[in-house]
Amino acid sequence: MDGENSPSSSAGERERRAVRRCQLGPLSLHRRHERSPGLLSPPPPPHVAPTMRIHCRVAVIALCFGLFLLFYFWGNAADDPLLKEVGEERRQKQKEVEDNKAESSPPLPESRRDVVAKFDKKSAEGIGVRPGELLLAVRKEPRENRKEAESGKSKPRSNVARPVIKRSPNEEVMHLAVVACGSRLDETLTMVKSAVLFSLKKIKFHIFAEDPLAPQFKEKLNQWPRSISARFQYSLYPISFSVGNADEWKKLFKPCAAQRLFLPVILKDVDSLLYVDTDVLFLRPMDDIWNLLKSFNSTQLAAMAPEHEIPRIGWYSRFARHPFFGVTGVNSGVMLMNLTRIRSKLFKNSMIAGGLSWEDLLHPLYQKYKNHITWGDQDLLNIIFHYNPECLLIFPCQWNYRPDHCMYGSNCKAAEEEGVSILHGNRGVYHDDKQPAFKVIYDAIRDFPFEDNMFQSLFYPIQTKFLDTVNTLCGRIPQVFLKQVEKTMRKMFEDKVVHHVKPHK
């Protein structure tokens, strides 16, 4: 029998095996569990762990990206003064509604001055403006409100970007007179509209109209929105002449044109007045030309612009057969008057040595020169101020800009530097295609819906349509026409932000 099969050999072998199991027990147990995974909690399947890791990574990346966007926009919003203005405005509006109190605007803080300074620093070159800058603070009307307005349940709020005007009971009122006859109804309404849209102080319109036009003026003006009609008053007057033959006066130049000569006599209770022709458009606040009254010295009682800037192509300097003011004469389409001074003045003339009052002067002057005058009442005014030059203030051509200033080359330096302030579309240029630059502005103001945003529905259409006029005589200098309009729009935008926003407490 071999030694391996002996009892002693079997006992020794069993002992050695037991010792080896004790030494390798943990490792052997671990391997046994690997072969029998059901003995302990199973590890996750090999295809599940990578998928979970991918999902976690995606979630972490999305979370980080979201936090980045949050901090980015939060930081930008905190740095944008215009967004601060809008947010502050909305908070103040809500607070006013809750408290039901009317509070006046406080002094402009430094943070708001920064907003104004931001626009002041921008270059005025070119004709473009950035819609994002100009329209940021203009709130849009909620869609629900529009639906309610259409159904008649409520009236939509206007989002027109115009300054908030707080008037005191004793605030000065500006007076503007116009004479309309024949087919000048729409033209006159467009002029009135331009004055109301841009002006700051309240305006009193004195409208002299033929009998058939008077009820039409009343009907049209009474249809304007209450927010607009609250900014002006108007009175209608019949055509009348205090001296001389009315039929003769009506035939002077154009029907009713001579009416302007009698304004100091008819409007006895008005101290100062701005007269304009029906074909005039305001491209900046009427307040600015009204302030020229303060520039009158002790002898001046009226202000007008020259008829022309260049004597060799001016009409009076070449063709006039009667005396006229200065070198080129004056144009009476825009005339600023101190009526009180006119009524009290004795005017020098070529008929008597002692001087005549305004009312006593008109008829004999007409009788003397009626066979020598071409432009009617304007010629008579030129004769009066020829003999009384100390009574007249001459303001720059930008206040009475006509096709003559661009048809023969650009010859109004004031308009080139500051832009047109008052556009005078004589020669019928608003109604034909001879000078489309004038017609573009007239059409835009005439068609502007009062409750629309002025940037979107007035300035940008003008700016866009001007591109079609750049090859015309007057359209080749678009900055002359658009500079004051853009400046006025910016000022109105700034006023809207400043007046509506109150400092954070």
Side-chain angles (χ1 to χ4, degrees):
M1 197 183 264
D2 294 335
E4 294 177 357
N5 297 328
S6 62
S8 60
S9 175
S10 299
E13 183 65 25
R14 285 194 297 271
E15 184 177 355
R16 285 194 297 274
R17 291 177 179 174
V19 171
R20 190 179 301 113
R21 279 196 301 270
C22 291
Q23 295 174 346
L24 302 177
L27 179 61
S28 176
L29 182 63
H30 177 71
R31 290 174 178 172
R32 188 176 303 136
H33 287 314
E34 287 180 348
R35 291 191 300 270
S36 303
L39 296 178
L40 295 175
S41 298
H47 67 280
V48 174
T51 302
M52 292 178 64
R53 286 194 295 271
I54 292 173
H55 288 170
C56 291
R57 290 174 183 172
V58 172
V60 170
I61 292 172
L63 179 61
C64 293
F65 184 69
L67 291 174
F68 170 77
L69 291 178
L70 176 63
F71 287 120
Y72 176 79
F73 288 113
W74 188 11
N76 283 355
D79 292 337
D80 194 332
L82 294 180
L83 288 176
K84 290 180 181 179
E85 302 292 357
V86 176
E88 185 64 25
E89 177 182 357
R90 291 178 178 173
R91 286 193 292 271
Q92 292 297 331
K93 286 288 184 182
Q94 183 64 29
K95 183 177 180 181
E96 289 176 0
V97 171
E98 293 173 356
D99 297 340
N100 195 22
K101 294 181 179 180
E103 300 178 357
S104 60
S105 299
L108 180 65
E110 292 294 334
S111 60
R112 273 63 181 181
R113 294 194 186 106
D114 293 340
V115 180
V116 178
K118 175 181 178 180
F119 288 95
D120 289 340
K121 292 179 182 178
K122 291 189 176 294
S123 172
E125 296 180 0
I127 61 175
V129 292
R130 299 179 181 178
E133 294 174 352
L134 294 177
L135 299 176
L136 187 58
V138 181
R139 297 193 304 276
K140 298 297 180 184
E141 209 176 331
R143 190 171 297 175
E144 310 88 72
N145 289 354
R146 295 177 185 170
K147 293 180 179 178
E148 291 178 0
E150 292 172 359
S151 63
K153 295 180 181 179
S154 66
K155 185 177 180 180
R157 294 177 299 172
S158 168
N159 63 346
V160 177
R162 69 170 57 88
V164 176
I165 306 167
K166 297 187 177 181
R167 300 186 176 94
S168 62
N170 298 324
E171 182 187 15
E172 179 185 15
V173 175
M174 301 181 293
H175 292 264
L176 188 148
V178 63
V179 179
C181 291
S183 59
R184 298 299 181 111
L185 175 68
D186 290 340
E187 198 172 78
T188 305
L189 289 172
T190 305
M191 180 279 295
V192 172
K193 189 176 185 180
S194 71
V196 173
L197 285 177
F198 295 139
S199 295
L200 305 178
K201 297 188 186 74
K202 198 167 186 177
I203 306 175
K204 172 66 180 289
F205 292 99
H206 303 271
I207 302 174
F208 292 80
E210 288 180 311
D211 292 340
L213 290 182
Q216 298 181 58
F217 273 113
K218 187 174 182 180
E219 178 186 1
K220 295 290 186 181
L221 292 173
N222 290 345
Q223 290 175 356
W224 287 6
R226 185 175 300 178
S227 60
I228 299 298
S229 60
R231 303 176 60 189
F232 71 92
Q233 302 172 345
Y234 72 92
S235 294
L236 291 167
Y237 306 84
I239 301 299
S240 62
F241 306 96
S242 60
V243 295
N245 188 304
D247 291 334
E248 278 191 311
W249 286 118
K250 287 182 179 180
K251 295 176 183 178
L252 183 63
F253 186 48
K254 292 182 179 180
C256 308
Q259 181 69 71
R260 84 182 79 181
L261 297 175
F262 295 86
L263 296 179
V265 180
I266 298 173
L267 302 176
K268 295 182 182 296
D269 297 329
V270 178
D271 175 69
S272 295
L273 180 78
L274 176 66
Y275 167 85
V276 296
D277 286 347
T278 59
D279 51 8
V280 156
L281 293 174
F282 291 86
L283 303 188
R284 68 187 288 181
M286 176 185 161
D287 309 60
D288 296 335
I289 190 172
W290 188 258
N291 289 335
L292 292 179
L293 287 166
K294 301 175 183 177
S295 301
F296 284 10
N297 62 27
S298 59
T299 64
Q300 291 168 339
L301 46 78
M304 287 187 279
E307 170 63 23
H308 215 287
E309 307 303 308
I310 304 175
R312 61 183 174 82
I313 57 178
W315 193 92
Y316 284 109
S317 53
R318 292 186 296 164
F319 305 117
R321 297 182 294 158
H322 57 79
F324 56 89
F325 179 88
V327 179
T328 60
V330 288
N331 184 281
S332 60
V334 179
M335 184 176 180
L336 188 63
M337 296 179 281
N338 185 317
L339 300 185
T340 301
R341 291 187 179 183
I342 291 177
R343 286 188 287 262
S344 61
K345 171 73 174 176
L346 292 179
F347 292 88
K348 297 186 291 290
N349 58 85
S350 61
M351 295 173 289
I352 65 172
L356 292 169
S357 68
W358 185 269
E359 186 175 13
D360 294 336
L361 175 64
L362 293 177
H363 189 253
L365 197 67
Y366 167 67
Q367 291 297 324
K368 180 176 180 178
Y369 291 101
K370 64 180 180 180
N371 295 324
H372 303 281
I373 57 179
T374 303
W375 306 109
D377 54 304
Q378 177 173 293
D379 290 344
L380 293 180
L381 290 170
N382 268 278
I383 296 170
I384 292 173
F385 290 112
H386 169 82
Y387 291 105
N388 302 270
E390 74 283 358
C391 295
L392 189 63
L393 171 70
I394 298 297
F395 50 64
C397 49
Q398 72 184 73
W399 295 104
N400 189 351
Y401 190 89
R402 305 178 301 283
D404 289 352
H405 290 119
C406 50
M407 288 173 55
Y408 311 111
S410 182
N411 53 60
C412 180
K413 299 302 180 182
E416 293 177 9
E417 295 172 359
E418 301 184 27
V420 175
S421 298
I422 293 181
L423 193 69
H424 186 179
N426 63 348
R427 300 177 182 268
V429 293
Y430 292 152
H431 312 293
D432 57 34
D433 297 323
K434 293 179 180 178
Q435 295 300 336
F438 284 76
K439 191 173 187 298
V440 162
I441 297 180
Y442 175 81
D443 290 345
I445 295 177
R446 180 197 61 196
D447 299 335
F448 170 68
F450 279 113
E451 298 300 325
D452 276 15
N453 180 274
M454 291 183 69
F455 295 103
Q456 294 175 338
S457 301
L458 181 58
F459 179 71
Y460 295 135
I462 292 175
Q463 193 180 44
T464 301
K465 292 178 182 178
F466 240 93
L467 297 176
D468 299 330
T469 72
V470 293
N471 294 323
T472 64
L473 292 174
C474 294
R476 59 189 173 184
I477 45 175
Q479 70 279 4
V480 170
F481 291 84
L482 299 181
K483 187 176 293 186
Q484 273 298 333
V485 178
E486 178 178 348
K487 182 178 178 180
T488 300
M489 292 288 185
R490 287 181 179 272
K491 180 64 167 61
M492 294 174 70
F493 167 74
E494 293 163 7
D495 286 348
K496 179 182 175 64
V497 173
V498 169
H499 282 281
H500 274 289
V501 178
K502 298 177 175 61
H504 181 67
K505 296 181 181 179

